[in-house]
Amino acid sequence: MLEHALLFDAQGQPLLSGKLNASREWAEVNAFCNRVYMPLATKPLVQGADPNATLRTLSIGRIVLSRFCFGVPTKADEFDPSSGNIIVVNTMRGSVCHPLMGGATIDTQPGDSYVVDCSRTDYWNVANGDDLQFNLTIPHRLMEETAQRWYGFVPEDDLWKKRLVFGRGHSAWLSLLDYATRSVDARSDGVASPLMEKRIEETLCLELLRGWAECSGLNLETGARGAAPRYVREAERLMEERAHEAPSITEIAVQLGISARSLSEGFRRFRGITPHDYLTARRLEGLRKALEDAPPGETVSSIASTRGYVNLTAMTASYRQRFGESPYQTLRNRLARA
């Protein structure tokens, strides 16, 4: 599985032709690592050895996929936490040694998948030189957004600090990665359509989150929902009900009889986001439904204005980031189906 990842697309056409795909220069290899993963340090374990590296990469949404190896035994460490990135290492060939919890280590074998949040914990690995990795670089923020959207809260560091193997052998995760890489069309220069990218990005994050949480003993279905105080849950209910009115956070807080500061603190502690972020998401979801249900003759401007949107440029940018298409495209697709 993944034998052809980042080599060929679904039509069997070669990907990434004309790009740097291999190198025997440490300067090029280190520049690749710093750009694709994050700033880090590398050290060949055979003195004076030159790399024989595979360097293939492309992006799907905000996720960077890479087919990579040093080609010589190498230790990588000092991964920069300020990058804010999560790394998923899928071993395709050979073995790679990684740290686990409590000072333990593991050598991942072909078919094993390992995850570490470098923004929350330290990381290093040792590749044996015969390895080949298929890696994902995912912004921590993107995983938080996914958790909030699907489960209603953002897990705390008891999840993000767990370094672990979450898949072995021919796992469903690897099948998903195989599908994702085959969905890229070489005819469009290795870029999927924006809507396809958004869907694949969401699915990859959700499946990673599910596997990571399951192996960490965290139940995302219950999570922190029940632990949140009543005023947080009531605020969520009010914001869902009144999203079309574009209420302010202060108005919501007054209706609950608390201060805006207390409401913000409650969301930060129990949801990992601000109440403004929560309200923004509910408003965009309501706008999307209104566009999808719009009768003939309605325009994006008319629908958005009735839902309290004044700055259409800012709204369009937020909408595109969340749904992978513009409001106009949503409305056009609705009218095309009518």
Side-chain angles (χ1 to χ4, degrees):
M1 197 174 296
L2 293 176
E3 294 89 346
H4 301 299
L6 305 194
L7 299 179
F8 303 99
D9 70 3
Q11 287 75 40
Q13 298 299 310
L15 283 170
L16 306 175
S17 57
K19 300 180 182 294
L20 176 67
N21 290 317
S23 178
R24 298 190 67 91
E25 300 290 336
W26 278 113
E28 289 180 332
V29 174
N30 288 329
F32 176 91
C33 291
N34 290 334
R35 173 173 58 86
V36 173
Y37 306 122
M38 66 196 74
L40 54 88
T42 60
K43 179 181 179 181
L45 301 183
V46 178
Q47 187 173 2
D50 291 326
N52 185 18
T54 295
L55 311 171
R56 302 182 70 92
T57 183
L58 60 77
S59 298
I60 294 182
R62 286 174 280 176
I63 300 175
V64 180
L65 311 176
S66 54
R67 186 184 181 102
F68 175 78
C69 72
F70 289 108
V72 294
T74 304
K75 181 174 183 178
D77 59 10
E78 299 180 23
F79 285 72
D80 183 5
S82 68
S83 66
N85 286 335
I86 292 167
I87 301 294
V88 182
V89 180
N90 305 282
T91 303
M92 300 171 62
R93 184 182 68 215
S95 68
V96 182
C97 183
H98 311 269
L100 294 175
M101 305 307 294
T105 63
I106 189 170
D107 291 318
T108 54
Q109 305 298 320
D112 292 347
S113 299
Y114 173 94
V115 60
V116 58
D117 187 342
C118 295
S119 74
R120 295 297 190 271
T121 188
D122 63 299
Y123 177 59
W124 55 264
N125 67 46
V126 176
N128 71 357
D130 295 323
D131 62 292
L132 180 62
Q133 307 163 29
F134 185 78
N135 300 330
L136 284 76
T137 307
I138 306 175
H140 175 92
R141 179 61 180 169
L142 177 57
M143 291 293 287
E144 286 190 341
E145 292 171 3
T146 302
Q148 175 62 46
R149 191 154 50 246
W150 284 87
Y151 296 103
F153 77 104
V154 176
E156 297 185 2
D157 280 355
D158 57 346
L159 174 66
W160 308 123
K161 287 186 176 182
K162 294 286 178 62
R163 303 172 295 197
L164 52 82
V165 172
F166 66 95
R168 293 184 180 276
H170 297 288
S171 65
W173 167 250
L174 294 186
S175 296
L176 176 59
L177 293 183
D178 191 56
Y179 163 77
T181 59
R182 290 175 182 270
S183 297
V184 179
D185 189 341
R187 291 173 298 179
S188 59
D189 193 29
V191 178
S193 70
L195 184 57
M196 177 64 78
E197 281 196 78
K198 189 67 179 177
R199 288 175 176 172
I200 294 175
E201 177 192 81
E202 183 90 345
T203 304
L204 288 173
C205 289
L206 186 60
E207 182 63 18
L208 173 60
L209 186 63
R210 185 199 63 77
W212 196 350
E214 184 177 279
C215 292
S216 298
L218 175 63
N219 187 339
L220 293 172
E221 296 295 338
T222 55
R225 288 184 181 183
R230 183 176 181 274
Y231 70 84
V232 170
R233 289 179 276 121
E234 280 297 299
E236 290 173 332
R237 181 185 63 79
L238 288 172
M239 284 189 274
E240 289 175 7
E241 291 179 354
R242 298 183 57 193
H244 64 286
E245 302 173 12
S248 69
I249 299 304
T250 299
E251 289 172 343
I252 295 294
V254 169
Q255 189 168 348
L256 293 170
I258 62 174
S259 68
R261 180 176 180 178
S262 295
L263 184 59
S264 295
E265 284 296 315
F267 267 79
R268 181 194 62 77
R269 180 178 178 185
F270 293 98
R271 294 299 189 245
I273 60 171
T274 67
H276 180 268
D277 287 341
Y278 186 89
L279 178 58
T280 297
R282 302 294 79 77
R283 292 188 66 208
L284 288 171
E285 289 166 0
L287 174 61
R288 183 175 180 83
K289 188 176 188 309
L291 291 168
E292 291 174 337
D293 296 339
E298 291 281 9
T299 66
V300 170
S301 296
S302 66
I303 295 170
S305 63
T306 62
R307 303 188 70 84
Y309 286 101
V310 178
N311 188 334
L312 295 185
T313 300
M315 177 275 290
T316 298
S318 298
Y319 189 98
R320 185 186 297 276
Q321 181 178 9
R322 185 168 184 84
F323 300 115
E325 63 181 8
S326 70
Y328 173 77
Q329 288 172 311
T330 302
L331 181 61
R332 183 185 60 187
N333 292 338
R334 158 73 179 94
L335 297 177
R337 292 192 300 269

